[in-house]
Amino acid sequence: MKKAVRVILILVVAIIVIGVVGLFFLTRGLKSGSKVEISSINPSSLDDGIYKGSYSAGRWSNELAVTMKGGKIQEIKIIKDMDIAPPEISNEIFSRVIKLQNTDVDAVSGATVTSKAYLKSIETALTK
């Protein structure tokens, strides 16, 4: 009986530790990411080429490549994606940026920090 209680206790402690570590992983960078300011960009003044930018804040860290041609953003590709990032969010943000030719776009509803992380990478790529 004592052995069974010990095993159960060990399992409960292990579950708690895993839960705390998981919670830390999922929220690391959340507070700073929600406060990130995104500056407007002017792609028309940039030369043709591929510009790389990144953002680093916990699980929202990412690296992108922005292709410029004729003073316009043509394509945005993910070089290194976030740990948890549904592709529909990046597709939507990239589509908005390409359509408006600016980082001054609305975040995807329910994915504000993820949206801001991608937008910050685009901004850093085009303002270096």
Side-chain angles (χ1 to χ4, degrees):
M1 187 70 165
K2 287 183 181 182
K3 207 173 205 179
V5 171
R6 187 180 300 167
V7 169
I8 291 172
L9 185 61
I10 290 171
L11 286 174
V12 168
V13 169
I15 290 169
I16 290 170
V17 168
I18 290 169
V20 168
V21 170
L23 186 60
F24 175 75
F25 171 77
L26 291 174
T27 60
R28 190 177 49 140
L30 180 62
K31 188 174 183 179
S32 62
S34 65
K35 295 178 182 177
V36 168
E37 296 292 326
I38 310 297
S39 298
S40 186
I41 57 168
N42 181 11
S44 64
S45 63
L46 296 171
D47 294 332
D48 290 357
I50 298 173
Y51 295 79
K52 292 182 181 178
S54 62
Y55 174 74
S56 182
R59 73 175 184 94
W60 287 274
S61 299
N62 70 87
E63 185 178 353
L64 305 177
V66 182
T67 303
M68 295 294 303
K69 187 170 183 180
K72 293 190 176 224
I73 301 169
Q74 296 294 314
E75 182 178 46
I76 303 168
K77 285 188 177 179
I78 297 170
I79 297 170
K80 181 181 178 281
D81 208 353
M82 299 174 208
D83 290 329
I84 302 170
E88 56 271 8
I89 296 171
S90 59
N91 292 340
E92 181 62 29
I93 286 295
F94 299 168
S95 174
R96 291 176 186 183
V97 170
I98 291 170
K99 181 179 179 182
L100 295 177
Q101 293 295 302
N102 206 316
T103 51
D104 190 17
V105 299
D106 291 334
V108 174
S109 180
T112 302
V113 176
T114 301
S115 298
K116 285 184 170 188
Y118 285 129
L119 291 169
K120 195 64 175 179
S121 289
I122 296 166
E123 175 194 320
T124 60
L126 301 180
T127 58
K128 285 183 185 176

